[in-house]
Amino acid sequence: MPTPPTSPAAGSTSGPATDELLAAARAWRDDDPDPATRAELDALIEAAAAGGDHGETARADLADRFAGMLEFGTAGLRGALGAGPRRMNRAVVIRAAAGLVAYLQAEGGRPDPAVVIGYDARHNSDVFARDTAAVVEAAGGSAMVLPRPLPTPVLAFAIRHLGADAGVMVTASHNPPQDNGYKVYLGDGSQIVPPVDAQIAAHIAAVGSVASVPMADDGWDTLGDELLEAYVDRAAAVFSPDAPRDVTVVHTALHGVGSETLRLTFERAGLPAPQAVSSQEQPDPAFPTVTFPNPEEPGAIDAALALAAEVHPDVVVANDPDADRCAAAVDDHGTWRMLRGDELGALLGHAVIERLSGPAARPDTSRRVLASSIVSSRLLAAMAAAAGLPHEETLTGFKWIARVPGLAYGYEEALGYCVAPDAVQDKDGVSAAVLLVELVARLKATGRTLLDVLDDLAVAHGVHATDAFSVRVRDLALMPALMERLRAERPETIAGSPVERLDDLAAGAGGLPPTDGLRYHLADGSRVIVRPSGTEPKVKVYLEAVEPVRGPSDLARAREVTAARLASIRRDMAALTAL
């Protein structure tokens, strides 16, 4: 493909820049194997060449689509579906698959790499999975494709279970309906990290054309249900054999692929079937009942909360569309509310600590490390210290958390939880739901709730109140500019508390690998972290305030103090990060 041209100046409808843009678009179109995206480009090229207002709009659209390739990084590929090198389409996916196989052959020393491929129910996910299998087979590898749309953790499990050299999951997780993505795992079942991402990207860039990539017509292995059965067995085994099973659950899959796998896992664990939110139970790539299919987004689980208000379950469980995340909601004095990611992280951590150090501690001591990301609450570290267990802090993302040696449990505040790392070395919303439901059932048998445990943890370790907000940008160039401005303009105080230390995470603070971000430590024990998102056009700001508690009667005061402190920190940080 020709080098993407520099976008022409606004108002220009002809000249060398436009000619170069149209030439690049025609070259890409002629190399595109998909009739639908070829037709899409044809229409834009014709409109751009015709000129006028409509032509100006088409030319700007083309300029955006051809302003470079969709970047391959540690999250693989993710972007809007459509024609052109900066969109998710068959041409981009075929190049990515060819680059991945070339990397495995050249860097991994495997002339015949085995690659297992999964896919969700988004638009074109099955097509992208089939194209990947065709590339792997034609290159001399062995492709194994999951039998149907299934959760991401099933794919992550399959890599180690089948002894594959790599895995690919076609999913955009919780992104909007118009997106799709391409997530890559290596043979240990973990997501890629630097420098592997750059090495794979270099092999992708070396692909001359889609037409030059050999593709097999058949030959790959479509796996049977025995793979799903094996995953379900391991996920169900998270539930302790001696735990009570008198528990009721409302579940929403948010139009994703989690319903069947969660139901089968509950059945295998001997649990009552969850009551599904029927309007969101079946996979639907249009996500018709939600604006944004992410449990964290306001309104996303309203249908589940409405059903809970009718049927009064013990807990509400929600998965994101590819079921690698887990959310929960509880009845808080007559009002159903969703738990924050850090609250659920502490609750699942409590359950794991009980297994590791409680009266019914399991004999396996090879996995005793608890881990959480730098943007997650520090409560888990305090809990681990009190239990005499090691804790590790990692960079954001399960590509880092899952790599912690001896990991017993890891989480990040964005609803990602790894409760069975020996089975799935990644976040897993199904096994996390199983452990959560066991905790709910145990508490119910003693007349207690999840909120009671959160109270206990606050009394023991102090209130750890967290909040977060995002600064969304239209121009990606504004993200590094904002970060540089924050580096240059260090505040003396935030919310009236002196800034005792500012860590520039780009320098590898605290022994962590370098990453773009800033961490503010305040004199009152509060902490603020600012970092660009790795998957969306926004800068994220994470807040935490901590207040000691002098016994149960002091809990309300401590929570009022941290709530007020968080609100004040948020106001100041919103002003500091305003564009």
Side-chain angles (χ1 to χ4, degrees), residues 180-239:
N180 213 326
Y182 198 83
K183 184 181 292 188
V184 174
Y185 297 78
L186 292 184
D188 60 358
S190 59
Q191 298 178 50
I192 58 173
V193 296
V196 172
D197 58 332
Q199 293 169 343
I200 296 174
H203 284 284
I204 295 172
V207 176
S209 66
V210 176
S212 70
V213 178
M215 296 181 68
D217 293 326
D218 53 31
W220 53 86
D221 182 15
T222 300
L223 301 169
D225 281 346
E226 63 274 6
L227 185 277
L228 178 59
E229 289 292 317
Y231 168 81
V232 166
D233 282 343
R234 295 297 295 275
V238 168
F239 203 93

Side-chain angles (χ1 to χ4, degrees), residues 173-321:
S173 189
H174 55 277
N175 274 38
Q178 65 268 23
D179 288 2
N180 213 326
Y182 198 83
K183 184 181 292 188
V184 174
Y185 297 78
L186 292 184
D188 60 358
S190 59
Q191 298 178 50
I192 58 173
V193 296
V196 172
D197 58 332
Q199 293 169 343
I200 296 174
H203 284 284
I204 295 172
V207 176
S209 66
V210 176
S212 70
V213 178
M215 296 181 68
D217 293 326
D218 53 31
W220 53 86
D221 182 15
T222 300
L223 301 169
D225 281 346
E226 63 274 6
L227 185 277
L228 178 59
E229 289 292 317
Y231 168 81
V232 166
D233 282 343
R234 295 297 295 275
V238 168
F239 203 93
S240 299
D242 63 344
R245 286 163 169 78
D246 176 19
V247 61
T248 56
V249 178
V250 161
H251 175 252
T252 177
L254 290 182
H255 303 292
V257 295
S259 289
E260 177 198 21
T261 303
L262 187 81
R263 178 181 52 78
L264 290 172
T265 303
F266 273 38
E267 180 181 308
R268 191 70 47 85
L271 289 165
Q275 182 159 350
V277 177
S278 59
S279 63
Q280 299 174 338
E281 183 179 7
Q282 297 303 316
D284 188 333
F287 302 101
T289 69
V290 291
T291 304
F292 204 108
N294 181 352
E296 292 181 292
E297 293 291 325
I301 67 167
D302 281 359
L305 300 186
L307 179 58
E310 293 178 14
V311 303
H312 308 292
D314 297 310
V315 68
V316 171
V317 172
N319 292 121
D320 67 335

Side-chain angles (χ1 to χ4, degrees), residues 389-429:
L389 295 169
H391 174 270
E392 293 288 337
E393 186 178 63
T394 75
L395 294 183
T396 304
F398 265 83
K399 56 184 173 285
W400 301 108
I401 295 171
R403 292 175 180 271
V404 171
L407 182 69
Y409 168 66
Y411 97 94
E412 61 181 357
E413 53 77 41
L415 305 178
Y417 310 98
C418 178
V419 304
D422 56 335
V424 176
Q425 199 169 326
D426 196 9
K427 56 184 176 291
D428 181 351

Side-chain angles (χ1 to χ4, degrees), residues 48-74:
D53 291 343
H54 185 49
E56 182 71 16
T57 301
R59 187 190 55 76
D61 191 356
L62 282 174
D64 179 63
R65 292 167 186 256
F66 284 83
M69 291 289 293
L70 192 62
E71 185 175 353
F72 185 94
T74 56

